[in-house]
Coordinates of all heavy atoms in Angstrom, one line a residue:
D25 N -16.7 6.9 -25.2 CA -17.5 8.0 -25.8 C -16.7 8.7 -26.9 O -17.1 9.0 -27.9 CB -17.9 9.1 -24.7 CG -19.1 8.7 -23.9 OD1 -19.7 7.6 -24.3 OD2 -19.5 9.4 -23.0
H26 N -15.4 9.0 -26.5 CA -14.5 9.8 -27.4 C -14.2 8.9 -28.6 O -14.1 9.4 -29.7 CB -13.2 10.2 -26.7 CG -12.4 11.0 -27.6 ND1 -11.4 10.5 -28.4 CD2 -12.4 12.3 -27.9 CE1 -10.9 11.3 -29.1 NE2 -11.5 12.5 -28.9
N27 N -13.9 7.6 -28.3 CA -13.5 6.8 -29.4 C -14.7 6.1 -30.2 O -14.4 5.3 -31.2 CB -12.6 5.6 -28.9 CG -11.2 6.2 -28.5 OD1 -10.8 7.3 -28.7 ND2 -10.5 5.3 -27.8
G28 N -15.9 6.4 -29.8 CA -17.1 5.9 -30.5 C -17.1 4.4 -30.5 O -17.5 3.7 -31.4
I29 N -16.8 3.9 -29.3 CA -16.8 2.4 -29.0 C -17.9 2.1 -28.0 O -18.1 2.8 -27.1 CB -15.4 2.0 -28.4 CG1 -14.3 2.4 -29.4 CG2 -15.4 0.5 -28.0 CD1 -13.7 1.2 -30.2
D30 N -18.6 1.0 -28.2 CA -19.6 0.4 -27.2 C -18.8 0.2 -25.9 O -17.9 -0.6 -25.9 CB -20.2 -0.8 -27.7 CG -21.2 -1.4 -26.7 OD1 -21.3 -0.9 -25.6 OD2 -21.7 -2.5 -27.1
V31 N -19.1 0.9 -24.8 CA -18.4 0.8 -23.6 C -18.4 -0.7 -23.0 O -17.4 -1.1 -22.3 CB -18.9 1.8 -22.5 CG1 -20.2 1.3 -21.9 CG2 -17.8 1.9 -21.4
Q32 N -19.4 -1.5 -23.4 CA -19.4 -2.9 -23.0 C -18.2 -3.7 -23.5 O -17.8 -4.7 -22.9 CB -20.6 -3.6 -23.5 CG -22.0 -3.0 -22.9 CD -21.9 -3.0 -21.4 OE1 -21.4 -3.9 -20.7 NE2 -22.3 -1.8 -20.8
K33 N -17.6 -3.2 -24.6 CA -16.3 -3.8 -25.1 C -15.3 -3.7 -24.0 O -14.6 -4.6 -23.7 CB -15.9 -3.2 -26.4 CG -14.5 -3.8 -26.8 CD -14.0 -3.3 -28.1 CE -12.6 -3.9 -28.4 NZ -12.1 -3.5 -29.7
Y34 N -15.2 -2.6 -23.3 CA -14.2 -2.4 -22.3 C -14.6 -3.1 -21.0 O -13.8 -3.8 -20.4 CB -14.0 -0.9 -22.0 CG -13.5 -0.1 -23.2 CD1 -13.6 1.3 -23.2 CD2 -12.8 -0.7 -24.3 CE1 -13.1 2.1 -24.3 CE2 -12.3 0.0 -25.3 CZ -12.5 1.4 -25.4 OH -12.0 2.2 -26.4
Y35 N -15.9 -2.9 -20.6 CA -16.3 -3.4 -19.4 C -16.4 -5.0 -19.4 O -15.9 -5.7 -18.5 CB -17.7 -3.0 -19.1 CG -18.0 -1.5 -18.6 CD1 -19.2 -0.9 -18.6 CD2 -16.8 -0.7 -18.4 CE1 -19.3 0.4 -18.2 CE2 -17.0 0.6 -18.0 CZ -18.2 1.2 -18.0 OH -18.3 2.5 -17.6
V36 N -17.0 -5.5 -20.5 CA -17.2 -7.0 -20.6 C -16.0 -7.6 -21.4 O -15.3 -8.6 -21.0 CB -18.5 -7.4 -21.2 CG1 -18.7 -8.9 -21.3 CG2 -19.6 -6.6 -20.4
G37 N -15.7 -7.0 -22.5 CA -14.7 -7.7 -23.5 C -13.3 -7.7 -22.9 O -12.6 -8.6 -23.1
L38 N -12.9 -6.6 -22.3 CA -11.6 -6.5 -21.6 C -11.7 -6.6 -20.1 O -10.6 -6.9 -19.5 CB -11.0 -5.1 -22.0 CG -10.7 -4.9 -23.4 CD1 -10.1 -3.5 -23.6 CD2 -9.7 -5.9 -24.1
G39 N -12.9 -6.5 -19.5 CA -13.0 -6.6 -18.0 C -12.3 -5.4 -17.3 O -11.8 -5.6 -16.2
Q40 N -12.4 -4.2 -17.9 CA -11.8 -3.0 -17.3 C -12.9 -2.0 -17.2 O -13.7 -1.7 -18.0 CB -10.7 -2.5 -18.1 CG -9.4 -3.3 -18.2 CD -8.9 -3.6 -16.8 OE1 -8.8 -4.8 -16.4 NE2 -8.5 -2.6 -16.1
E41 N -12.8 -1.2 -16.1 CA -13.7 0.0 -15.8 C -13.1 1.3 -15.9 O -13.7 2.3 -16.2 CB -14.4 -0.2 -14.4 CG -15.4 -1.2 -14.3 CD -15.9 -1.5 -12.9 OE1 -15.9 -0.5 -12.1 OE2 -16.1 -2.6 -12.6
Q42 N -11.8 1.4 -15.4 CA -11.1 2.6 -15.3 C -9.6 2.4 -15.5 O -9.2 1.2 -15.5 CB -11.3 3.3 -13.8 CG -12.6 3.3 -13.3 CD -12.6 3.6 -11.9 OE1 -11.6 3.5 -11.1 NE2 -13.7 4.0 -11.3
F43 N -8.9 3.5 -15.7 CA -7.4 3.3 -15.4 C -6.9 4.5 -14.7 O -7.3 5.6 -14.7 CB -6.6 3.0 -16.6 CG -6.6 4.0 -17.8 CD1 -6.0 5.2 -17.7 CD2 -7.3 3.7 -19.0 CE1 -6.0 6.0 -18.8 CE2 -7.3 4.6 -20.1 CZ -6.6 5.8 -19.8
S44 N -5.8 4.2 -13.8 CA -5.2 5.2 -13.1 C -4.2 5.9 -14.0 O -3.7 5.3 -14.9 CB -4.4 4.6 -11.9 OG -5.2 4.2 -10.9
W45 N -3.9 7.2 -13.7 CA -2.9 7.9 -14.5 C -2.1 8.8 -13.5 O -2.7 9.3 -12.5 CB -3.6 8.8 -15.5 CG -2.7 9.0 -16.7 CD1 -2.3 10.2 -17.1 CD2 -2.3 8.0 -17.6 NE1 -1.5 10.0 -18.3 CE2 -1.5 8.7 -18.6 CE3 -2.4 6.6 -17.8 CZ2 -0.9 8.0 -19.7 CZ3 -1.8 6.0 -18.8 CH2 -1.1 6.7 -19.8
V46 N -0.9 9.0 -13.9 CA 0.0 9.8 -13.0 C -0.2 11.3 -13.2 O -0.4 11.7 -14.4 CB 1.5 9.5 -13.1 CG1 1.8 8.2 -12.3 CG2 1.9 9.3 -14.5
A47 N -0.1 12.1 -12.2 CA -0.1 13.6 -12.4 C 1.3 14.0 -12.9 O 2.3 13.3 -13.0 CB -0.3 14.2 -11.0
E48 N 1.3 15.3 -13.2 CA 2.5 15.9 -13.8 C 3.8 15.7 -12.9 O 4.9 15.5 -13.3 CB 2.3 17.4 -14.0 CG 1.4 17.8 -15.1 CD -0.1 17.8 -14.7 OE1 -0.4 17.1 -13.6 OE2 -0.8 18.5 -15.3
D49 N 3.5 15.7 -11.5 CA 4.6 15.6 -10.6 C 4.6 14.2 -9.9 O 5.0 14.1 -8.8 CB 4.5 16.7 -9.5 CG 3.2 16.7 -8.8 OD1 2.2 15.9 -9.2 OD2 3.1 17.4 -7.8
E50 N 4.3 13.1 -10.7 CA 4.4 11.8 -10.2 C 5.1 10.9 -11.3 O 5.1 11.3 -12.4 CB 3.0 11.2 -9.9 CG 2.2 11.7 -8.8 CD 0.8 11.1 -8.7 OE1 0.1 10.9 -9.7 OE2 0.5 10.8 -7.6
D51 N 5.7 9.9 -10.9 CA 6.3 8.9 -11.8 C 6.5 7.5 -11.0 O 5.9 7.3 -10.0 CB 7.6 9.4 -12.5 CG 8.7 9.5 -11.4 OD1 8.5 9.1 -10.2 OD2 9.8 9.9 -11.9
I52 N 7.2 6.6 -11.7 CA 7.4 5.3 -11.0 C 8.1 5.4 -9.7 O 7.9 4.6 -8.8 CB 8.1 4.3 -11.9 CG1 9.5 4.9 -12.3 CG2 7.3 3.9 -13.2 CD1 10.4 3.7 -12.8
V53 N 8.9 6.4 -9.5 CA 9.7 6.5 -8.2 C 8.7 7.0 -7.1 O 8.7 6.5 -6.0 CB 10.8 7.5 -8.4 CG1 11.5 7.8 -7.0 CG2 11.9 6.9 -9.3
T54 N 7.9 8.1 -7.4 CA 7.0 8.5 -6.4 C 5.9 7.5 -6.0 O 5.6 7.3 -4.8 CB 6.3 9.9 -6.8 OG1 5.5 9.6 -7.9 CG2 7.3 10.9 -7.1
M55 N 5.4 6.8 -7.0 CA 4.5 5.7 -6.7 C 5.1 4.6 -5.9 O 4.6 4.1 -4.9 CB 3.9 5.1 -8.0 CG 2.9 5.9 -8.7 SD 1.9 5.0 -9.9 CE 3.2 4.5 -11.1
A56 N 6.4 4.2 -6.2 CA 7.1 3.2 -5.5 C 7.4 3.6 -4.0 O 7.2 2.8 -3.1 CB 8.5 2.9 -6.2

Side-chain angles (χ1 to χ4, degrees):
D25 279 354
H26 182 270
N27 289 351
I29 300 250
D30 175 1
V31 74
Q32 294 308 317
K33 174 175 176 180
Y34 298 162
Y35 290 168
V36 181
L38 298 175
Q40 292 303 120
E41 281 169 39
Q42 310 172 342
F43 59 71
S44 285
W45 207 246
V46 282
E48 292 88 334
D49 57 350
E50 292 179 313
D51 69 0
I52 57 161
V53 171
T54 62
M55 286 195 297

